[in-house]
Amino acid sequence: MKKTMPAIHYTVDASQTHSHLFQISLHIAKPDSGQVMSLPVWIPGSYLVREFSKHLQNLKAKQAGKSVGVFQDHKSQWHIDCKNTAALELTYEVYAFDNSVRTAWLDTQRGFFNGTSLCLRVHGQEDVAHGLTLKAHKGSTWSVATGLQSIKVNKQGFGEYLASNYDELVDCPFEMGNFWRGEFTACGIPHEFVIAGAMASFDGARLLADTQKICETEIKFWHEKKPAAHAPYKRYVFMLNAVEEGYGGLEHRNSTALICNRRDLPSLDMKKMSEGYVTLLGLISHEYFHTWNVKQLRPAEFKRYDYTQENYTELLWFFEGFTSYYDDLLLRRAKLIDDAQYFKLLNKTINLVLQAPGRQVQSVAQASFDAWVKYYRQDENTPNATISYYTKGALVALCIDLTLRAEGTSNLDNVMRGLWVRCKGGPLREADLLAELEMQTGRSWKKELKAWVHSTQELPLKTLLSSHGVVVHEDAPQMAQRLGLRVLEAQGVVQVKAVLRGGAAEKAGMAAGDEWWAVASAKAKSQTWRLKKLEDLSLLLGNEKKAVATITRDQKVFALALTLPSDVHTWRLSQTSTSLNARTSAWLDGA
């Protein structure tokens, strides 16, 4: 019996590697009269309008073998001058040279794409089955990796794939190339890991073993009973692009696309886990946790994505922030890092928040809503104007978890699992979180969420940490924090990147873009020192608190009076003996 082609079918040709052009043809079996087509302007999980249509070119249409008109009435939308009497065929090209996890890439070494960059949306038919045939150049040795269901593919993975609808199609990226591939099972579920760009020293067995521990820990976190039966996927794919310099990830329904510095991969001669590898494991943990917390549980506003414009929500502090809380904590529970390493990571998150004056300007709920114009469009004023919903959201999760544990009624683990059941693994509102907290504790949590999420009040971190056996020390900070600066030091030049609100540098009159060339004691101005590193200030000035900073701005030279403050501190966490504090052990072990 002849197999029927899906009513919407894409053919993606990846053979034009030298020109970085994907060639796409789209078959629409039953088009509407004047069929409307569009390409998404953003990709779910990355909250910025990225205008993918800027890379689409040469769009042409035919019906019954004859060319029909194509009329563009929007930056990413087209009307086809067709009738509903015959199949419609479209052809177009997409330029692919963005080596990130969000768009598409094609060269002689590697191919990658998200459907949001390549696949036009057929308006009115988003919910029908969508097919995709992937082709490579003749004689290609490339292989393919994707979470999309294969129907008929060759040994390399090229061939036919099927999605139940448009949302699924564009939520399953494709990786192509001569990549490294490894496999493992976690709670009986098959997982695949592919890596492009790994060096010969890469220890694949180590990465697979560590990733397996992460996956099993997280599956069991969400599904304590019969985890394999209740996990929201039957197969999972990790796609990692190892590059000279880069970091990031983007979650998908049964896969994730990652990018990292290739030197952060575990090496065969690695005796002690490097900080870079710990960071990579944290990224893997974060994106995998998103399989539940944002891809299944998700903001109610994301129940159905609107690909044509921004999709606003105030809940990114929960979906990104709570995921950021658990990504490192679950590394500790998987026994991949010890207590000291975990507290070092938590310490870093706390200091990132405390060193951002924007936390006193914008609540974390507002920061979530403004992600489209602030977090993803950062500039020199970002730390003064907003707060990261990743870092502060993680600290909100910490405060809720430690409060629950201190009261002895529940913990955040139980709340997350309760939300999974309450929301049926689907759309979630803040009211659902409040209801679940109240059900598990017998009291209202409106006061806490109002203070911690919807205001700029400081979080009760010291009190809660000390109640769980963690001591907070206030140490002298590095010079940049002491002065309220973020700088770039290169080739003997100290360049100011950001001036933090209320700091000594702002009071002196420094501005982003300044180059700080020299410094002198206010008492001995005749002795001026060339400044090549900010930390050298202590050597050059000794115990002097008053200084004269020589800076250049727009080729003009300024002398600024600078006072070095002594009342700025940074946090350092240390742990009391866990044998003396059962709460600490229960928290870290997930008891």
Side-chain angles (χ1 to χ4, degrees):
M1 182 176 178
K2 188 176 180 180
K3 185 170 58 180
T4 303
M5 178 186 294
I8 307 295
H9 188 272
Y10 304 80
T11 299
V12 176
D13 187 333
S15 63
Q16 299 302 310
T17 55
H18 289 77
S19 59
H20 318 297
L21 290 174
F22 281 107
Q23 296 178 309
I24 300 111
S25 60
L26 170 55
H27 172 86
I28 306 170
K30 298 179 180 180
D32 292 336
S33 295
Q35 179 66 60
V36 180
M37 317 288 302
S38 68
L39 196 66
V41 302
W42 70 291
I43 182 169
S46 185
Y47 307 105
L48 178 67
V49 171
R50 297 186 182 276
E51 313 293 20
F52 298 131
S53 62
K54 68 181 179 180
H55 295 306
L56 189 149
Q57 62 190 43
N58 287 332
L59 177 59
K60 298 176 182 177
K62 285 187 177 182
Q63 189 173 38
K66 296 182 179 181
S67 297
V68 295
V70 176
F71 170 69
Q72 185 173 4
D73 69 339
H74 184 273
K75 63 183 179 182
S76 60
Q77 180 170 286
W78 294 263
H79 293 255
I80 313 301
D81 188 16
C82 64
K83 299 179 181 179
N84 62 359
T85 56
L88 179 65
E89 307 288 340
L90 302 177
T91 59
Y92 56 98
E93 300 166 334
V94 173
Y95 179 71
F97 207 61
D98 179 356
N99 199 18
S100 76
V101 297
R102 298 175 297 267
T103 53
W105 173 269
L106 184 63
D107 71 357
T108 57
Q109 303 300 307
R110 171 179 176 263
F112 172 83
F113 69 85
N114 288 287
T116 45
S117 290
L118 263 63
C119 298
L120 284 168
R121 179 167 64 96
V122 183
H123 289 216
Q125 300 193 47
E126 294 90 345
D127 293 327
V128 304
H130 285 53
L132 187 147
T133 299
L134 185 62
K135 295 182 176 180
H137 60 275
K138 187 176 181 180
S140 173
T141 60
W142 283 7
S143 296
V144 178
T146 181
L148 197 60
Q149 179 188 355
S150 62
I151 300 301
K152 183 180 180 181
V153 299
N154 61 19
K155 292 181 179 180
Q156 296 165 259
F158 289 95
E160 299 176 25
Y161 291 85
L162 182 66
S164 59
N165 51 44
Y166 184 79
D167 284 339
E168 181 182 5
L169 176 73
V170 300
D171 204 14
C172 294
F174 281 76
E175 176 76 31
M176 296 167 282
N178 295 311
F179 46 68
W180 177 91
R181 188 195 300 262
E183 297 177 343
F184 63 89
T185 61
C187 297
I189 302 171
H191 289 63
E192 183 179 357
F193 210 130
V194 302
I195 302 178
M199 296 185 288
S201 61
F202 164 58
D203 187 347
R206 173 69 180 271
L207 180 63
L208 289 179
D210 291 345
T211 303
Q212 181 184 38
K213 292 177 182 177
I214 292 171
C215 295
E216 290 184 341
T217 300
E218 297 194 4
I219 295 170
K220 293 174 183 177
F221 172 91
W222 288 100
H223 311 291
E224 294 179 295
K225 298 178 180 179
K226 298 182 179 180
H230 295 113
Y233 53 87
K234 300 299 182 184
R235 181 175 72 94
Y236 195 91
V237 183
F238 292 94
M239 291 169 273
L240 173 60
N241 183 23
V243 297
E244 178 62 22
E245 186 174 349
Y247 173 82
L250 190 60
E251 68 276 1
H252 298 279
R253 61 182 59 199
N254 67 340
S255 65
T256 186
L258 309 166
I259 188 167
C260 79
N261 186 324
R262 58 174 59 95
R263 290 174 176 78
D264 291 342
L265 291 169
S267 61
L268 293 169
D269 60 353
M270 185 177 73
K271 295 180 175 61
K272 181 181 179 182
M273 190 179 290
S274 68
E275 288 188 9
Y277 184 46
V278 172
T279 299
L280 174 58
L281 292 178
L283 176 65
I284 291 169
S285 177
H286 183 98
E287 302 303 337
Y288 195 68
F289 197 83
H290 270 321
T291 310
W292 292 267
N293 194 39
V294 91
K295 297 310 297 184
Q296 297 294 324
L297 284 177
R298 59 191 182 278
E301 297 89 344
F302 293 178
K303 183 177 182 180
R304 187 68 186 260
Y305 296 121
D306 182 349
Y307 295 103
T308 67
Q309 62 182 355
E310 297 89 341
N311 290 212
Y312 296 102
T313 178
E314 287 191 345
L315 284 173
L316 295 182
W317 59 268
F318 178 86
F319 291 101
E320 291 293 355
F322 281 39
T323 300
S324 295
Y325 172 62
Y326 275 111
D327 55 20
D328 292 331
L329 182 57
L330 291 174
L331 292 185
R332 160 62 182 78
R333 293 181 183 174
K335 296 181 171 54
L336 291 170
I337 59 175
D338 58 23
D339 292 357
Q341 288 173 300
Y342 173 67
F343 284 119
K344 184 177 180 180
L345 293 168
L346 179 59
N347 202 145
K348 180 179 179 181
T349 300
I350 291 172
N351 281 326
L352 284 171
V353 172
L354 295 181
Q355 293 167 18
R359 78 184 190 282
Q360 299 172 329
V361 176
Q362 190 176 50
S363 73
V364 73
Q366 292 171 325
S368 299
F369 192 86
D370 279 343
W372 299 89
V373 294
K374 290 192 175 181
Y375 185 82
Y376 278 89
R377 288 195 173 105
Q378 297 195 15
D379 59 24
E380 71 285 346
N381 193 49
T382 294
N384 296 321
T386 189
I387 188 66
S388 167
Y389 48 78
Y390 285 90
T391 53
K392 187 173 181 182
L395 297 187
V396 170
L398 172 70
C399 288
I400 293 175
D401 197 8
L402 298 190
T403 301
L404 287 164
R405 292 177 182 276
E407 293 179 356
T409 52
S410 187
N411 56 61
L412 190 57
D413 303 359
N414 290 334
V415 171
M416 297 300 287
R417 288 189 284 265
L419 285 170
W420 180 261
V421 175
R422 174 182 292 272
C423 299
K424 300 178 181 179
L428 177 151
R429 300 181 185 275
E430 186 175 310
D432 296 310
L433 174 59
L434 284 167
E436 188 63 30
L437 284 165
E438 183 168 355
M439 187 196 76
Q440 294 200 24
T441 63
R443 72 170 181 87
S444 172
W445 282 73
K446 290 182 179 179
K447 180 180 177 181
E448 283 84 357
L449 262 63
K450 181 179 179 181
W452 301 346
V453 173
H454 295 282
S455 83
T456 58
Q457 293 182 34
E458 298 289 7
L459 300 173
L461 295 168
K462 280 187 180 180
T463 301
L464 290 169
L465 287 168
S466 64
S467 71
H468 285 75
V470 181
V471 180
V472 177
H473 307 269
E474 291 191 349
D475 294 342
Q478 293 185 333
M479 190 58 69
Q481 182 192 346
R482 185 178 174 189
L483 295 176
L485 280 177
R486 294 184 181 177
V487 300
L488 175 65
E489 297 174 340
Q491 299 179 335
V493 176
V494 177
Q495 185 175 48
V496 176
K497 303 301 291 182
V499 178
L500 302 186
R501 189 73 67 237
E506 183 187 57
K507 293 175 182 177
M510 290 188 184
D514 288 353
E515 291 184 351
W516 190 348
W517 282 92
V519 68
S521 166
K523 293 181 180 179
K525 297 180 182 179
S526 60
Q527 189 174 25
T528 300
W529 295 95
R530 176 79 167 84
L531 184 66
K532 294 185 177 181
K533 293 183 179 180
L534 202 57
E535 289 298 323
D536 288 347
L537 280 176
S538 297
L539 297 173
L540 302 176
L541 296 175
N543 293 324
E544 292 290 333
K545 298 295 185 293
K546 302 287 186 179
V548 177
T550 303
I551 63 103
T552 64
R553 184 186 305 162
D554 191 26
Q555 295 187 308
K556 299 172 185 176
V557 181
F558 296 87
L560 302 177
L562 176 68
T563 299
L564 280 69
S566 57
D567 59 347
V568 180
H569 300 92
T570 188
W571 281 24
R572 175 173 55 86
L573 306 182
S574 67
Q575 182 185 5
T576 59
S577 173
T578 54
S579 63
L580 299 177
N581 197 315
R583 281 185 186 172
T584 311
S585 297
W587 165 34
L588 297 180
D589 293 332

